[in-house]
């Protein structure tokens, strides 16, 4: 009996020591919102919560990866200094003039003029353009994607890469180790046998300690062909119906001009991060007569700041008349939630468009927990019904468009490597506004009075899910 009491006493002491250690350790290394979630978990189940925090609580990368990103950023800045004639200068005292230096200081890339940009909204159409461009490649094809499935789309991309490699084109395929697990398993050996260089980003298993926190992911979607044509957007290398019953609707930009070299630099940075191999990039690309000014924004835990979060919040604060935000996953941090509330209360027309259905149940429940506060502030919320709206973009007034892989959630802001493209061209912004208007025509507006009639058990579910926002 004494032995049992002694063992119980030690366990009780260990229990409280873990709680106290967590109280001293976690808030100093984690954002307040995330710290609250983790402290709650440790408080309830200390012996489980602390090991989980050590594995997933802080978005750390290995020192070697941080060093390689810093080296890549330095090279990008030095190369751009040699191409000063490509720099685009916004008009003084404008919203754009306030945005440009923030994006450049955080993400390394200056705004460049002389680009042509096509917005592709058709799922099959964007893939057909990509495959056609791969079939025209003469020197190299670089693809960086989060997800690739072993389906009809995966087969078509693999066959296009094999045809290109057979012509002597140097093909490199960089895939996230988790998101593209099926594609890596199905195609890796086959592509390597045809001289296509295939690499997995952020591998797990026993190798995770050499890369970073286990659940960090590379969520970018980039394609560069011959440094002449580039693709950036929300679409992965998979069939539109890879989530059964919820065909995806996406948005992809097909680029030509100097911005393509910047996309190539992002690919080369990730390639260097993963392999240690330096690629020759940032070659001069002829300007296009369309002359669309653009600026690239990479983000992720390898950068000193939360680039995506800061850029999105700055855009919300800079909006004067209207801002439209389109995202499949909406789990904002406190700063973003506050920015949206302040904008709406200040008289800005704030329109949030999200999918009426989701492929992530817990995220959808947490997302719903924010609706009441947003609706009370005057934010308009529309639920898009025909498809799973996987597109990620926003427009500010008639001046700025942002599109790419960035979701409006804590994972995109803090844990994922993401990519965004800012366009400072009224014609492109007008096209994006037309796309957003098309979403709205096919959406159901959410009314506050209607929303407040939902059952009590749903409110409880939303609140509990919201507590786990830092863990998603």
């Amino acid at each position: 009996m004494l032995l049992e009491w002694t063992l119980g006493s030690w366990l009780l002491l260990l229990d409280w020591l873990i709680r106290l250690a967590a109280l001293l350790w976690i808030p100093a290394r984690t954002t307040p919102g995330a710290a609250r979630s983790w402290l709650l978990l440790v408080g309830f189940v200390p012996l489980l919560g602390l090991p989980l925090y050590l594995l997933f609580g802080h978005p750390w990368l290995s020192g070697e990866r941080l060093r390689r990103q810093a080296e890549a950023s330095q090279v990008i800045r030095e190369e751009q200094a040699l191409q000063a004639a490509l720099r685009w200068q916004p008009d003084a005292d404008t919203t754009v003039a306030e945005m440009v230096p923030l994006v450049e200081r955080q993400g390394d890339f200056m705004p460049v003029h002389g680009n042509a940009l096509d917005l592709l909204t058709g799922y099959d159409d964007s893939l057909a353009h990509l495959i056609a461009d791969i079939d025209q490649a003469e020197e190299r094809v670089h693809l960086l994607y989060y997800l690739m499935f072993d389906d009809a789309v995966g087969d078509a991309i693999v066959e296009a890469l094999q045809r290109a490699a057979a012509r002597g084109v140097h093909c490199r395929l960089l895939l996230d180790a988790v998101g593209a697990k099926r594609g890596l398993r199905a195609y890796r050996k086959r592509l390597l046998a045809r001289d296509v260089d295939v690499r997995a980003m952020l591998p797990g298993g026993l190798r995770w300690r050499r890369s970073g926190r286990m659940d960090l992911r590379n969520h970018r979607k980039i394609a560069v062909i011959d440094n002449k044509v580039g693709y950036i957007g929300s679409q992965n290398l998979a069939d539109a119906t890879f989530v059964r019953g919820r065909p995806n609707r996406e948005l992809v930009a097909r680029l030509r001009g100097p911005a393509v070299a910047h996309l190539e630099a992002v690919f080369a940075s990730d390639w260097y991060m993963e392999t240690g191999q330096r690629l020759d990039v940032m070659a001069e690309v002829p300007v296009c007569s369309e002359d669309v000014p653009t600026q690239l924004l990479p983000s992720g835990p390898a950068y000193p700041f939360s680039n995506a979060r800061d850029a999105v919040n700055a855009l919300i604060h800079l909006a004067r008349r209207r801002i439209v935000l389109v995202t499949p996953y909406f789990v904002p941090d406190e700063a973003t939630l506050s920015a949206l509330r302040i904008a709406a209360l200040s008289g800005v027309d704030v329109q949030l468009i999200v999918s009426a259905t989701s492929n992530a149940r817990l995220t959808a429940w947490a997302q719903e927990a924010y609706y009441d506060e947003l609706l009370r502030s005057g934010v308009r919320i529309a639920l898009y019904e025909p498809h799973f709206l996987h597109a990620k973009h926003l427009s500010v007034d008639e001046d700025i468009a942002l599109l790419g892989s960035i979701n409006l959630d804590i994972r995109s802001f803090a844990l994922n490597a993401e990519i965004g493209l800012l366009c400072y061209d009224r014609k492109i912004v007008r096209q994006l506004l037309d796309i957003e208007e098309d979403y709205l025509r096919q959406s159901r507006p959410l009314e506050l009075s209607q929303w407040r009639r939902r059952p009590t058990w749903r409110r409880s579910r939303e609140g509990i899910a919201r507590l786990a926002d830092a863990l998603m």
Side-chain angles (χ1 to χ4, degrees):
M1 186 70 180
L2 179 62
L3 179 62
E4 290 179 3
W5 172 252
T6 303
L7 180 59
S9 299
W10 278 109
L11 287 174
L12 182 62
L13 178 62
L14 177 62
D15 210 45
W16 279 101
L17 284 174
I18 290 175
R19 288 189 175 98
L20 289 172
L23 187 61
L24 295 173
W25 178 270
I26 293 176
R29 291 162 176 80
T30 314
T31 61
R36 285 193 292 270
S37 297
W38 283 110
L39 288 173
L40 184 65
L41 179 62
V42 173
F44 272 107
V45 280
L47 293 176
L48 175 65
L50 186 61
L52 284 176
Y53 174 78
L54 295 175
L55 287 175
F56 301 111
H58 183 67
W60 65 273
L61 277 173
S62 67
E64 178 64 17
R65 286 181 179 268
L66 292 174
R67 183 188 64 79
R68 288 179 181 179
Q69 179 59 66
E71 287 182 7
S73 292
Q74 182 63 29
V75 170
I76 288 169
R77 290 179 179 273
E78 290 173 354
E79 290 290 336
Q80 289 180 104
L82 302 175
Q83 301 176 8
L86 294 175
R87 176 181 287 275
W88 176 75
Q89 294 290 350
D91 293 335
D93 300 322
T94 61
T95 300
V96 175
E98 293 187 55
M99 196 67 202
V100 161
L102 170 67
V103 174
E104 183 170 0
R105 287 168 187 156
Q106 290 196 323
D108 304 322
F109 291 100
M110 66 183 184
V112 288
H113 66 86
N115 302 290
L117 189 151
D118 299 313
L119 296 179
L120 307 176
T121 59
Y123 200 100
D124 294 338
D125 184 48
S126 63
L127 287 168
H129 275 85
L130 175 60
I131 291 171
D133 284 329
I134 294 173
D135 283 335
Q136 295 297 315
E138 298 175 352
E139 297 179 8
R140 61 179 179 241
V141 173
H142 288 163
L143 304 183
L144 164 60
Y145 282 86
Y146 168 68
L147 186 149
M148 184 178 189
F149 273 20
D150 53 340
D151 55 18
V153 171
D155 289 344
I157 295 294
V158 166
E159 290 166 5
L161 289 173
Q162 290 178 163
R163 291 193 296 269
R167 299 193 304 271
V169 176
H170 198 154
C171 299
R172 295 182 177 94
L173 177 62
L174 192 55
L175 298 170
D176 182 80
V178 174
K181 183 183 294 185
R182 282 177 51 177
L184 286 164
R185 184 171 57 239
Y187 301 127
R188 185 181 224 162
K189 290 182 180 179
R190 173 177 160 188
L191 287 169
L192 289 172
R194 301 291 186 89
D195 295 323
V196 176
D197 201 345
V198 183
R199 304 296 177 105
M201 279 287 289
L202 295 166
L206 297 177
R207 294 173 291 173
W208 70 270
R209 290 187 61 83
R210 297 204 301 270
S211 57
R213 177 172 146 175
M214 292 177 67
D215 63 335
L216 299 184
R217 303 271 49 92
N218 192 310
H219 192 242
R220 294 169 179 157
K221 294 97 173 161
I222 293 173
V224 183
I225 294 95
D226 280 348
N227 223 359
K228 296 178 181 178
V229 181
Y231 289 79
I232 178 174
S234 61
Q235 189 166 344
N236 287 292
L237 302 180
D239 188 88
T241 57
F242 71 86
V243 178
R244 184 167 298 184
R246 298 184 179 91
N248 283 22
R249 181 165 182 181
E250 311 281 0
L251 181 69
V252 176
R254 181 179 182 269
L255 277 170
R256 290 173 288 125
V260 176
H262 290 185
L263 276 179
E264 180 84 320
V266 174
F267 178 91
S269 296
D270 281 352
W271 189 267
Y272 179 55
M273 286 264 286
E274 193 58 48
T275 69
Q277 297 175 4
R278 298 174 184 267
L279 302 180
D280 181 23
V281 296
M282 295 294 287
E284 290 191 23
V285 179
V287 299
C288 299
S289 59
E290 289 87 337
D291 202 26
V292 175
T294 66
Q295 188 174 22
L296 212 57
L297 177 69
S299 67
Y303 290 89
F305 302 101
S306 298
N307 297 356
R309 181 200 64 193
D310 292 350
V312 168
N313 288 349
L315 288 167
I316 296 170
H317 285 300
L318 288 170
R320 294 294 173 263
R321 293 173 297 281
R322 188 186 193 210
I323 181 168
V324 182
L325 307 101
V326 179
T327 181
Y329 311 112
F330 180 78
V331 185
D333 61 4
E334 287 299 325
T336 307
L337 188 64
S338 176
L340 289 168
R341 184 177 63 249
I342 291 170
L345 291 172
S346 299
V348 176
D349 181 4
V350 182
Q351 174 72 70
L352 175 66
I353 305 175
V354 295
S355 189
T357 59
S358 178
N359 62 354
R361 186 170 297 175
L362 183 61
T363 301
W365 295 343
Q367 175 173 306
E368 292 173 347
Y370 297 92
Y371 288 170
D372 191 282
E373 179 178 352
L374 291 172
L375 290 168
R376 281 190 289 113
S377 302
V379 175
R380 295 189 296 135
I381 301 174
L383 306 178
Y384 180 80
E385 296 187 316
H387 306 90
F388 174 47
L389 185 58
H390 191 249
K392 311 143 197 301
H393 50 87
L394 62 86
S395 59
V396 177
D397 299 328
E398 297 81 32
D399 306 313
I400 303 175
L402 170 64
L403 61 94
S405 68
I406 302 168
N407 296 311
L408 299 184
D409 65 0
I410 295 171
R411 165 159 287 280
S412 262
F413 289 168
L415 304 180
N416 289 345
E418 304 283 8
I419 188 71
L421 180 73
L422 290 107
C423 302
Y424 307 119
D425 180 88
R426 284 177 169 257
K427 181 180 177 181
I428 296 298
V429 176
R430 182 67 259 172
Q431 291 177 18
L432 188 61
L433 287 169
D434 289 342
I435 292 169
E436 292 163 352
E437 289 296 331
D438 183 60
Y439 296 159
L440 290 172
R441 283 192 291 271
Q442 302 179 73
S443 298
R444 170 171 50 90
L446 190 62
E447 302 294 341
L448 181 59
S449 58
Q450 167 205 355
W451 182 243
R452 286 184 168 174
R453 289 198 295 268
R454 69 196 188 283
T456 302
W457 64 265
R458 283 190 59 181
R459 299 174 188 236
S460 300
R461 182 181 70 182
E462 295 159 10
I464 294 170
R466 182 170 174 172
L467 288 175
D469 59 1
L471 314 179
M472 295 179 187

